[in-house]
Amino acid sequence: MNKLEQEISKRRTFGIIAHPDAGKTTLTEKLLLFGGAINKAGAVKSNKIDTATKSDWMEIEKQRGISVATSVMGFEYKDLKINLLDTPGHQDFAEDTYRTLTAVDSVVMVIDCVKGVEQQTEKLMEVCRMRNTPVICFINKLDREGRDPYDLLDEIEEKLDIQVRPLTWPIGMGKTFKGVYNLFSKNLLIFKPSKQQLTAEGIEIKDLSDENLNKNVGDTLADQLREDVELIEGVYPELDKEEYLSGKVAPVFFGSAINSFGVKEMLDTFINISPQPKERSTEERIVKPNEEKFTGFVFKIHANMDPKHRNRIAFVRICSGKFQRGSSYLNVRHDKRFRFSNATAFMAQDKETVDEAYPGDIVGLFDTGNLKIGDTLSEGEKGIYKGIPSFSPEIFKEVINKDAMKTKQLDKGLTQLMDEGVAQLFTFEMGARKVVGVVGNLQFEVIQHRLKNEYGASCEFAPMNLYKACWFSSNDKKKLDEFVKSKYRHIARDKDGKMVFMAETKSWMQMVEDNFPEIEFHFQSEF
């Protein structure tokens, strides 16, 4: 194996996804704790700023105890370099999450044992299935009274359309929760709650017929566990690694992230079975990670990570070859080379400079406005990586400037936030009215908050009666011009300057489609 292949075999890149409040950020913190990246975890809503959760660092996230932007973190564990992406579960930021899922090789899905599988989880699972991403399931919050483990397993199979194989099994639940039996390595750890520190070594029990089991968990639970284990071993086949890697089977772990329980078992199994960085397809061919030449793509842009400086960081997932700081790479969309002398690796907000990075790594590049979401960087090859869609928004509001002196700041702020992909901006051809389209209402608050705090511009949003924004195209130039002329009042341009038709109601949209059969309408812009 050469140096490049050795580095690739050490990398694991995965994302954590879940419904809001299933305990995603808490699990992220515990993984960082095991990886030695932080010493003490901060519960999500805490009064002291210094222990506020490491992966929620934007002002608005700390106030509300929710994750809004995707955080990228790296840590080392047992000689492996693990890159972890914590995604926002808040419905309104789903688009950010879809994009992040294009940059990871596998996914850990967190499910709350009280609520079971929720709607957001189903949506995210669909995206994983489009790409056959391997999934590991972590059922969280067992220190509360939740639902029966068997019911949860059935619900996952039914709603998420994936087979499951439990690898750890809970002993009791809620007040009677005693610990987790590890079906994979056949031993048992007894539960001692600890929110801040790591778990002390539990009592190891190798054999289920051992008397110590009864002493530690009581006769009822011990007998129940023996029955459960026998049943599971009988019902579920052995875990087949290939089936997991092709996204057909999800290994399931039980635990309580806030008490660091069951987390280590999951992490240890994860590094055993999870995939190394995989090959990716560009529009022209399939690129293997061990190719000599560097390629990568931008999946997220974040402005003002540091409020004191106006800056933009583009997050790049490296797909092949070796990235070197200070080299110049081709931006395929511009067909022009840029030199990147500033490259950083992340630990949420703490950034450190990196000189080289390998496939599977996520690097932040300082950017002055040359990069966009979905851009491909390479050493000269022209293929563009596929698969970062932008969907038609569902809620539209017009931007109203409250302070005429600050028009310039408002325009700059809007442009930068739209480049991050927080929302989409449409400017009407007539009268240049600006309309912001988002997936969910919370985004308007975020935009308003950030415009005020980061750019000093104040604005209001006035509701607009719009049904959809559709991109349109036609092979017949003459018909296209006719359409634009007759509907000029309803035509706007998106931030890339593409023309968009703003339909007011569903029935009117249908009528327009019938009246102009030569025009094709699209509900997502293909980048």
Side-chain angles (χ1 to χ4, degrees), residues 147-164:
R147 290 161 46 181
D148 182 68
Y150 291 111
D151 291 350
L152 286 166
L153 293 177
D154 289 345
E155 187 177 37
I156 295 171
E157 293 209 323
E158 188 187 320
K159 283 196 177 166
L160 302 180
D161 186 30
I162 187 169
Q163 293 169 323
V164 297

Side-chain angles (χ1 to χ4, degrees), residues 163-167 232-240 243 249:
Q163 293 169 323
V164 297
R165 170 69 168 100
L167 291 185
I232 292 163
E233 299 296 344
V235 173
Y236 294 100
E238 279 292 298
L239 177 70
D240 177 354
E243 295 225 298
V249 173

Side-chain angles (χ1 to χ4, degrees), residues 510-522:
Q510 298 249 263
M511 207 171 77
V512 173
E513 282 184 85
D514 297 342
N515 292 348
F516 294 92
E518 296 84 3
I519 307 272
E520 284 178 49
F521 294 96
H522 315 281

Side-chain angles (χ1 to χ4, degrees), residues 72-91:
V72 179
M73 284 152 278
F75 63 94
E76 286 184 7
Y77 184 74
K78 298 196 175 171
D79 296 335
L80 291 181
K81 167 109 170 35
I82 298 178
N83 295 310
L84 166 72
L85 283 79
D86 179 21
T87 60
H90 242 272
Q91 230 154 347

Side-chain angles (χ1 to χ4, degrees), residues 150-408:
Y150 291 111
D151 291 350
L152 286 166
L153 293 177
D154 289 345
E155 187 177 37
I156 295 171
E157 293 209 323
E158 188 187 320
K159 283 196 177 166
L160 302 180
D161 186 30
I162 187 169
Q163 293 169 323
V164 297
R165 170 69 168 100
L167 291 185
T168 60
W169 194 254
I171 306 166
M173 186 180 268
K175 289 196 179 72
T176 59
F177 183 48
K178 288 284 189 285
V180 189
Y181 175 73
N182 192 337
L183 297 157
F184 195 61
S185 58
K186 306 267 188 286
N187 63 355
L188 169 79
L189 289 170
I190 304 290
F191 183 63
K192 294 193 184 68
S194 152
K195 292 195 176 182
Q196 301 282 344
Q197 266 60 48
L198 294 177
T199 44
E201 281 306 301
I203 297 164
E204 285 215 7
I205 293 175
K206 283 276 185 278
D207 185 15
L208 280 180
S209 52
D210 192 337
E211 282 300 297
N212 276 337
L213 179 62
N214 292 39
K215 279 184 201 150
N216 282 306
V217 302
D219 293 344
T220 345
L221 286 174
D223 294 341
Q224 178 70 45
L225 177 67
R226 293 186 183 114
E227 249 174 67
D228 283 344
V229 171
E230 198 177 313
L231 184 67
I232 292 163
E233 299 296 344
V235 173
Y236 294 100
E238 279 292 298
L239 177 70
D240 177 354
K241 194 170 160 182
E242 287 312 306
E243 295 225 298
Y244 155 71
L245 289 175
S246 60
K248 294 195 181 89
V249 173
V252 180
F253 296 84
F254 290 86
S256 150
I258 192 142
N259 298 311
S260 331
F261 222 78
V263 179
K264 190 168 190 302
E265 288 84 335
M266 183 192 78
L267 189 55
D268 288 343
T269 313
F270 171 80
I271 60 177
N272 261 328
I273 63 176
S274 61
Q276 294 179 15
K278 294 199 282 230
E279 49 190 40
R280 306 251 156 179
S281 49
T282 65
E283 286 167 350
E284 317 208 331
R285 64 190 190 90
I286 288 179
V287 179
K288 292 198 164 28
N290 57 4
E291 293 180 15
E292 288 300 306
K293 296 201 159 165
F294 161 79
T295 61
F297 65 88
V298 179
F299 65 93
K300 167 185 161 87
I301 286 179
H302 206 301
N304 312 326
M305 267 180 95
D306 179 349
K308 295 189 200 75
H309 304 281
R310 281 268 166 269
N311 59 7
R312 280 177 45 164
I313 291 188
F315 290 70
V316 176
R317 149 84 199 221
I318 296 170
C319 301
S320 71
K322 174 172 142 182
F323 168 86
Q324 286 177 308
R325 188 167 73 92
S327 313
S328 65
Y329 294 116
L330 178 77
N331 177 339
V332 180
R333 184 173 53 91
H334 283 304
D335 200 9
K336 178 160 134 205
R337 294 183 93 86
F338 294 100
R339 188 158 171 270
F340 298 105
S341 49
N342 232 331
T344 52
F346 299 98
M347 165 66 229
Q349 199 173 8
D350 306 344
K351 310 190 283 272
E352 47 184 89
T353 306
V354 283
D355 291 321
E356 47 188 46
Y358 295 91
D361 284 342
I362 310 285
V363 213
L365 301 178
F366 281 88
D367 165 48
T368 50
N370 301 320
L371 295 173
K372 269 198 182 129
I373 288 174
D375 277 0
T376 299
L377 298 174
S378 74
E379 285 191 27
E381 196 180 330
K382 297 277 167 74
I384 290 187
Y385 281 103
K386 298 202 282 236
I388 302 190
S390 155
F391 302 96
S392 170
E394 312 193 347
I395 309 169
F396 298 89
K397 291 192 179 181
E398 187 180 346
V399 182
I400 294 164
N401 188 357
K402 299 289 287 174
D403 181 352
M405 303 295 285
K406 293 274 172 95
T407 311
K408 208 167 144 195

